[in-house]
C-alpha cells in the first residue's frame, strides 16, 4: 500500500447534501448545503495546512512512513436515498465537478462494503456466467417478390434459348 496521506471529513448520515426547501432556480437546480460546502472547505484547509508543515511533521517523526503526493480529500456525509430525481441531478453535477474532493454518502459506502463482502464470500455473480447466451436464428432466404419471381423466370427462359 501507498504511504500517501489522505484527508477525510466525516459528518453524519443525517447531514443534508443540498439546501432544503425550494430549488435555487427553476424546478431542478439545487444548491449544496452549508454543511457540504463547509465540509469541502474544511478538508481542503486541513490538507493545505498539512502540506505547509509537512517537512516539520516528517522531521519530528523520523520512523513515520508517510508522504503527501497530492493527497486525496474525501467528504463522507448524508444519504443519496434521501434525494428525489431533480435533487439527485444537482448533487451529481456538483459532485462530478468537485476536482479535488471526492464526495461519498453513507448509503453508497454501505453498498460498496456489501459488494465487497459478496465478492470475498464468493456470492457475487460472475459476469461471464450471468450473461445470457444469445441464440442465433438460422439464416432464412428472403422471400421472392412477384417482380423477382418474374425476373428469375425470364432469366431461366433466356438461358434455355
Amino acid at each position: 500500500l501507498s504511504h500517501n496521506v489522505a484527508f477525510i471529513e466525516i459528518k453524519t448520515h443525517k447531514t443534508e447534501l443540498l439546501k432544503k426547501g425550494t430549488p435555487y432556480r427553476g424546478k431542478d437546480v439545487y444548491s449544496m448545503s452549508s454543511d457540504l460546502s463547509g465540509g469541502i472547505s474544511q478538508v481542503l484547509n486541513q490538507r493545505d495546512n498539512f502540506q505547509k508543515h509537512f517537512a516539520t511533521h516528517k522531521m519530528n517523526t523520523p520512523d513515520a512512513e508517510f508522504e503527501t503526493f497530492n493527497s486525496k480529500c474525501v467528504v463522507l456525509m448524508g444519504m443519496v436515498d434521501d434525494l428525489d430525481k431533480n435533487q439527485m441531478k444537482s448533487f451529481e453535477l456538483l459532485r462530478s465537478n468537485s476536482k479535488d474532493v471526492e464526495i461519498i454518502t453513507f448509503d453508497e459506502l454501505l453498498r460498496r462494503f456489501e459488494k465487497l463482502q459478496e465478492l470475498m464470500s464468493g456470492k457475487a455473480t460472475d459476469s461471464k456466467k450471468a450473461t445470457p447466451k444469445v441464440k442465433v436464428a438460422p439464416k432464412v432466404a428472403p422471400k421472392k417478390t412477384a417482380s423477382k419471381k418474374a425476373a428469375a423466370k425470364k432469366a431461366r427462359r433466356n438461358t434455355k434459348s
Side-chain angles (χ1 to χ4, degrees):
L1 288 176
S2 163
H3 297 286
N4 197 28
V5 176
F7 298 89
I8 303 172
E9 180 63 31
I10 302 173
K11 304 294 184 190
T12 72
H13 66 285
K14 292 183 180 181
T15 306
E16 293 176 0
L17 298 167
L18 302 173
K19 284 186 180 177
K20 265 192 175 178
T22 59
Y24 177 74
R25 290 277 189 269
K27 295 180 181 178
D28 62 348
V29 178
Y30 290 83
S31 300
M32 72 173 78
S33 69
S34 59
D35 285 323
L36 179 54
S37 63
I40 291 169
S41 295
Q42 188 172 358
V43 76
L44 289 170
N45 187 55
Q46 291 167 353
R47 180 179 72 180
D48 181 59
N49 287 333
F50 182 82
Q51 288 174 331
K52 286 176 183 173
H53 301 98
F54 176 70
T56 307
H57 293 308
K58 195 80 167 165
M59 283 184 353
N60 290 339
T61 51
D63 295 339
E65 294 182 16
F66 59 86
E67 296 295 336
T68 180
F69 303 116
N70 193 27
S71 297
K72 186 171 190 163
C73 292
V74 177
V75 172
L76 174 63
M77 66 181 285
M79 305 272 283
V80 292
D81 288 344
D82 294 342
L83 304 176
D84 67 26
K85 181 181 167 185
N86 289 332
Q87 291 170 329
M88 190 65 186
K89 176 186 169 194
S90 286
F91 177 67
E92 286 297 346
L93 288 170
L94 288 166
R95 171 166 54 184
S96 65
N97 283 289
S98 178
K99 181 175 113 4
D100 287 336
V101 180
E102 183 175 0
I103 303 165
I104 303 172
T105 64
F106 281 92
D107 48 348
E108 291 171 323
L109 185 60
L110 176 62
R111 286 186 197 109
R112 288 181 187 186
F113 283 137
E114 289 170 345
K115 290 292 179 191
L116 183 61
Q117 184 181 22
E118 285 176 19
L119 285 169
M120 293 177 72
S121 67
K123 293 180 183 175
T125 57
D126 184 359
S127 62
K128 290 179 185 173
K129 291 179 183 176
T131 305
K133 299 204 182 224
V134 177
K135 292 184 180 180
V136 178
K139 288 188 177 183
V140 177
K143 293 183 179 180
K144 291 184 179 180
T145 61
S147 61
K148 286 184 182 179
K149 287 180 185 178
K153 197 175 194 181
K154 187 176 182 181
R156 274 185 260 138
R157 270 191 250 141
N158 290 340
T159 54
K160 290 181 184 177
S161 315

